[in-house]
Amino acid sequence: MGMNTESPQYAIDIENLHKTYKSDGKSPAKKALDDVSLKVERGSIFGLLGPNGAGKSTIINIMAGLVTKTEGSVKIWDIDIDQDQRNAKAAIGIVPQEINFDAFFSPAHLLDLMAGLYGVPKEKRRTMELLKMVGLEDKADAYTRSLSGGMKRRLMIAKAMVHTPPILVLDEPTAGVDVELRKQLWDNVRTLNKQGVTILLTTHYLEEAEELCDQIAIINHGKVIADEPTESILGRIDGKEIRFRLDRPFDEVPAELAKYDAQKEGRRTVCIRYTPQEQAVGELIEAIQKSGYGIADITTDDSDLEDVFIQLTK
């Protein structure tokens, strides 16, 4: 495949990437990416997290060769996209958000066709192996239109892998899919990563990034506002809310809890905002028991992406 056999330290290396969409007379020029630099370690799962319209898809479209960058450099598997676009593109498999294949092909036929487009010789094609990997081997010869939405999503992953790229890019892989399927797709992603595939995924679900990624970059309005290991990003989110429903009504927040700035909600519930870094839930439970109450119920509310942005963009 003409790819260098030396494995680079960074699977994807983006430096000072800018993209401005020119004014078309009707709308003004729009800066979609503003000096974005990202380094994705080989073998990692890297999350690009941000609200819709933050610039995540623009980055992917530039890597895919669908959008021309305004300035900056992009290397995929150490191949500069300006110098050798063909091999740079061969190093990457992209799973787009929207499902795009002919309803009358069977999955096996689709993967074969795709491998052919990538110039993979017949004896090197891994059609059944890929279908097995995404749990579709029993649907190899069905019409793709008869597949459920979840199966189609998984077929998209197999389709992106026909040329055995070392990097897989998933653009919002679980937008609009149900919880069970989300978990299934996550398992697929983990399996691929264990097999050595570097994965870049874009998402606006904090939970997804938290669950899968080693490193998370947060992008907002085309700028990278944070880029660090998942643990340390989560550590910066000092917003977990926990509610304790006590075993009986109370008039005012017990003194033991007042020092945690506990708020009374309704007749029997206290709500406390706490930082996992600083307080253990056990400590809060102890404080409640010390004040002579029992706990009927505990619910937590992890801060979502919106909170993170508000905190990081302060």
Side-chain angles (χ1 to χ4, degrees):
M1 259 178 83
M3 225 183 281
N4 47 5
T5 44
E6 283 299 294
S7 294
Q9 180 186 358
Y10 297 113
I12 298 169
D13 190 348
I14 295 175
E15 284 188 8
N16 312 113
L17 188 60
H18 290 260
K19 174 62 187 173
T20 304
Y21 290 100
K22 291 194 181 70
S23 153
D24 59 1
K26 289 190 285 291
S27 45
K30 179 181 184 304
K31 206 165 182 32
L33 296 177
D34 186 359
D35 200 24
V36 167
S37 294
L38 295 170
K39 289 184 184 306
V40 177
E41 291 264 354
R42 181 183 83 242
S44 67
I45 302 183
F46 189 101
L48 192 54
L49 194 60
N52 292 331
K56 304 185 305 276
S57 293
T58 305
I59 294 172
I60 288 179
N61 288 334
I62 288 171
M63 292 196 300
L66 299 171
V67 166
T68 315
K69 61 191 169 54
T70 307
E71 59 179 280
S73 79
V74 176
K75 283 182 176 173
I76 298 172
W77 212 248
D78 230 7
I79 305 161
D80 190 308
I81 61 169
D82 292 339
Q83 284 160 19
D84 184 355
Q85 197 184 18
R86 205 177 69 96
N87 276 317
K89 275 168 77 171
I92 200 165
I94 295 184
V95 183
Q97 289 178 35
E98 58 294 327
I99 286 167
N100 53 4
F101 34 67
D102 189 311
F104 292 99
F105 285 163
S106 68
H109 182 63
L110 175 79
L111 296 188
D112 251 2
L113 207 69
M114 205 62 204
L117 286 176
Y118 273 104
V120 180
K122 274 207 165 53
E123 66 283 0
K124 291 243 172 79
R125 292 182 193 168
R126 306 158 49 220
T127 298
M128 285 316 287
E129 184 191 328
L130 287 167
L131 288 173
K132 195 169 171 178
M133 182 188 80
V134 295
L136 290 174
E137 70 266 51
D138 56 336
K139 295 279 189 255
D141 300 316
Y143 279 144
T144 57
R145 62 173 181 173
S146 68
L147 302 183
S148 69
M151 291 172 177
K152 287 179 180 157
R153 286 274 168 149
R154 301 202 314 264
L155 181 55
M156 299 267 290
I157 294 179
K159 180 181 159 195
M161 297 298 292
V162 293
H163 56 302
T164 321
I167 304 165
L168 184 64
V169 174
L170 299 159
D171 195 7
E172 294 281 356
T174 62
V177 305
D178 63 47
V179 175
E180 198 174 324
L181 173 62
R182 189 173 296 173
K183 299 269 188 273
Q184 221 176 3
L185 287 167
W186 288 354
D187 285 343
N188 269 143
V189 168
R190 283 196 199 94
T191 304
L192 281 165
N193 182 244
K194 283 198 182 83
Q195 293 168 1
V197 179
T198 303
I199 290 166
L200 169 68
L201 70 96
T202 72
T203 180
H204 57 271
Y205 298 119
L206 183 61
E207 183 202 3
E208 181 149 79
E210 190 175 337
E211 188 67 35
L212 291 173
C213 302
D214 308 307
Q215 177 96 2
I216 295 176
I218 297 184
I219 185 170
N220 199 19
H221 299 306
K223 271 183 177 347
V224 175
I225 56 174
D227 179 359
E228 46 201 78
T230 305
E231 286 308 302
S232 91
I233 287 240
L234 295 172
R236 289 169 56 168
I237 304 167
D238 41 64
K240 283 198 182 232
E241 272 185 353
I242 188 161
R243 288 179 173 72
F244 297 100
R245 210 162 84 94
L246 306 185
D247 57 354
R248 57 189 191 278
F250 58 94
D251 291 328
E252 47 194 60
V253 174
E256 291 280 346
L257 288 176
K259 66 174 187 212
Y260 295 108
D261 208 14
Q263 304 297 316
K264 180 175 193 238
E265 287 185 2
R267 295 172 55 230
R268 303 172 40 176
T269 303
V270 285
C271 171
I272 302 170
R273 274 192 87 85
Y274 74 107
T275 311
Q277 268 39 41
E278 288 165 21
Q279 280 117 13
V281 175
E283 186 185 319
L284 303 174
I285 292 174
E286 233 166 80
I288 292 172
Q289 288 166 338
K290 266 198 193 131
S291 32
Y293 286 90
I295 296 168
D297 188 29
I298 301 181
T299 50
T300 58
D301 168 29
D302 285 4
S303 53
D304 62 13
L305 196 51
E306 291 310 308
D307 294 355
V308 183
F309 281 128
I310 292 161
Q311 290 178 27
L312 290 174
T313 48
K314 257 184 208 147

